[in-house]
Every structure is written in structure tokens, then in C-alpha cells.
Amino acid sequence: MRRPVRTAALLCVAVTLALVVSGCGFLGIGDEPADLQVYSARHYDLEEAFADFTDETGITVEFLYGEDAGLLERLKSEGEQTPADLFMTVDAGYLWNAARQDELAAVDSPVLDEAVPADLRDPQGRWYGLALRARTVVYNPDAVDPAEFDPQDTYAGLTDPKWQGRLCMRDETASYTQSLVASLIDLRGREYASRVVQGWVDNGVEVMSNDILLLEAVDAGECDVAITNHYYLARELEADPDLNVEPYWASQEGAGTHVNISGAGIVKSSDSPKQARRLMEWLAADGQSDFVDANHEYPVNPDVEPEPLIAEWGEFDRMPVNAEAYGDLNAQAVDVLAEAGYR
Ligand SMILES: [Fe+2]
């Protein structure tokens, strides 16, 4: 008689371990565990980083991957029917836009407010930056002496004719390019940004469709200089320590290096907002290293150290993140790129 009971219990434990808990009601604790659906523009080994969260909480996390713009459109078209609980982007502007379009719920969380610096989160708590990425200059040390860069305004310095035929950059459709240009508009106005982009084009900038291609081209000597997100360089160096590419922290004697955040907000019509908040808190605090280290990003949380490979590159001053500018100026940035013939 005991055997079927034990089998049933074991089955239930097994099912729980498989993280499907419906039917094992006696194991339930309040509202948890429950499944979360994340709409994510972040594509970097998320499952592995989130496994610890699931181990700790029993809350499983599923992902639907896409690009920032496409996922935001999907969220809007699904409305209250959306299965999404969390919207995760790789760009502050899209978080700002999602909040402005009333897709995100305000969170009241002292944990998040303490873990995330003020310029990396929404004042109303509708989104929080969770990882920091620098978009800076990389170069081939056989072709470039870093003293050639303008330490005050490194991005604009690449308009100097000495860089003719030596530049490679990311394509105009990437949010990375658009937010860099939006930050230049925010910094010194549209005319300035237009002059910079036009200068890159006049120098014959070669445009590529992803950051890895840029790094490979610099390594191969096909380009002397590129602008990429720092973590792609870390990733490539991890795979090949002999990669012939060095980072240069842009504009250290000026406005600082352009950075962006990967971050998230709770979808307004989430049916699991408590669990979603718990996930956000974990990502910013206890799980911050798991989350950022897997992709060689910088922690947003000042109490957390960056992983050793990027820590070796030293500290740098960053431009403040102005999410409103990245979001609000996005259309202007797209225009500036088109007008200059950047493609
Ligand atoms: Fe990326």
C-alpha cells in the first residue's frame, strides 16, 4: 500500500523539479512558484544566468526573443492578452518608449531603488537598467597609435581626414547606432550630430551588420578602427586571446564614453507582477553578477565588481544615460543618419 503513495509523492517532486508545479498544490507557498514570460531583446545566454533564480525561487522563466522595436510592437498589439510579464530591452530608449506608451507597470521596490543608480532607472519605477554596456572605439594596434584619437571628443574626432578609409561602424538600423547618434544630438545639438555623422561618411566609413563582423575586420586589418559594444570584444578575446584588437575609452577628457543599458520593466497586464518584481530584484542584486558576467557587461549595482576580463580594461568615465533623449530623439537620429547617406 505504501508504494503507490511514495510513487505519487516522488512523481510530484519530480514534476516540481521539472518546474511544472500545478497539481502539486501541497507544495505551493503563497503565489509561488509560477512561470514568467519574458519578451527579450537580450540574446546572450539568458537561460544559464536565470537557472540560479529558478533554483532559488522555483519560479521558471521563459523567453521570447526579438528586437527591441518588434517586441514593443508585439506588446502593444497583444494588449491585455499578452502572455508577457517582463519586457527586456538592450536600449534605454525603448524602455522609455514602452513606459511612455503605458505598457509598463510602476514598481515600488526599495531593493531596486538601492541597487540601480538614479540615471539608470525610471523616476516612476516603470523600468530599471540591469546591465551597463559601453559603446566605444576599438582599434588594431598594428595600424593605430592610440595617441591618434581625440581624447576630448573621440567620436567626433573620427571625422578627421586622417581616418579616411580606415573606419568601420555598425549599420543605421541598429538601435546601438541610433542611440549613439541620439546621445550626440542630446549632447551638443542636431547640427553637431549631423556634422559628425557626415564626417564619418565622408571618410568612407564601411558599415557592417553586426559588432562581431566589425571586430573580425579590425583583427584582420581590413579596418583600423571601429565602434562596438565592449562585451563583444570581451567575448571574442575569451575565444581568442591573441585577437589583435584593443579597446580605447572614448572621450575621457570630455563628455565620457557613450553607454547604454540593458534593462526591464514589468508589463502592465502581467498576471504575475509579484514574481516579476522578484525577478527584477534578483537581477539587480543577488543575481547581478550571474546576469552581467555571462555577457561581460558592467554591473549597474555599484556594490558589484565587474568580471576579471573587463575589469582589466580599467575604470572609465561614462556619459550619463538619458533614456528620454535616446527615446525621444530616436526619430531625429534616424533622420540624421539618412540625410548623411550613412548606410
Ligand atoms: Fe548586443
Side-chain angles (χ1 to χ4, degrees), residues 51-223:
D52 287 346
F53 173 75
T54 301
D55 286 347
E56 281 174 33
T57 62
I59 300 170
T60 56
V61 186
E62 287 176 358
F63 300 93
L64 177 89
Y65 293 114
E67 300 299 323
D68 287 320
L71 289 174
L72 178 54
E73 282 312 307
R74 182 171 177 140
L75 212 51
K76 279 157 58 184
S77 69
E78 289 173 341
E80 289 187 3
Q81 305 304 315
T82 185
D85 300 293
L86 221 65
F87 177 51
M88 184 169 279
T89 79
V90 290
D91 180 80
Y94 280 96
L95 289 170
W96 182 87
N97 263 314
R100 188 185 58 165
Q101 293 170 34
D102 204 24
E103 295 295 327
L104 302 178
V107 177
D108 183 15
S109 166
V111 174
L112 283 166
D113 289 347
E114 195 185 315
V116 184
D119 75 317
L120 305 180
R121 57 180 157 87
D122 176 40
Q124 295 177 48
R126 295 168 298 179
W127 54 262
Y128 290 82
L130 298 169
L132 197 71
R133 58 265 304 284
R135 194 155 188 82
T136 196
V137 162
V138 297
Y139 65 95
N140 183 315
D142 293 338
V144 177
D145 176 346
E148 289 184 78
F149 295 120
D150 177 353
Q152 291 195 329
D153 195 348
T154 309
Y155 304 102
L158 298 177
T159 63
D160 188 294
K162 72 181 172 191
W163 299 110
Q164 178 71 43
R166 302 171 70 188
L167 304 177
C168 292
M169 293 185 196
R170 183 66 181 265
D171 65 277
E172 75 285 4
T173 65
S175 64
Y176 298 159
T177 306
Q178 294 169 7
S179 281
L180 173 60
V181 173
S183 77
L184 298 179
I185 299 173
D186 183 43
L187 195 63
R188 295 204 178 92
R190 180 170 172 154
E191 261 183 56
Y192 162 82
S194 287
R195 271 202 311 278
V196 173
V197 176
Q198 191 65 59
W200 296 339
V201 171
D202 292 347
N203 271 342
V205 62
E206 189 174 339
V207 166
M208 298 187 178
S209 62
N210 71 58
D211 282 19
I212 296 290
L213 290 175
L214 291 168
L215 290 164
E216 288 172 350
V218 173
D219 176 53
E222 291 160 20
C223 321

Side-chain angles (χ1 to χ4, degrees), residues 44 133 176 229 231-232:
Y44 330 102
R133 58 265 304 284
Y176 298 159
N229 283 1
Y231 54 83
Y232 291 106

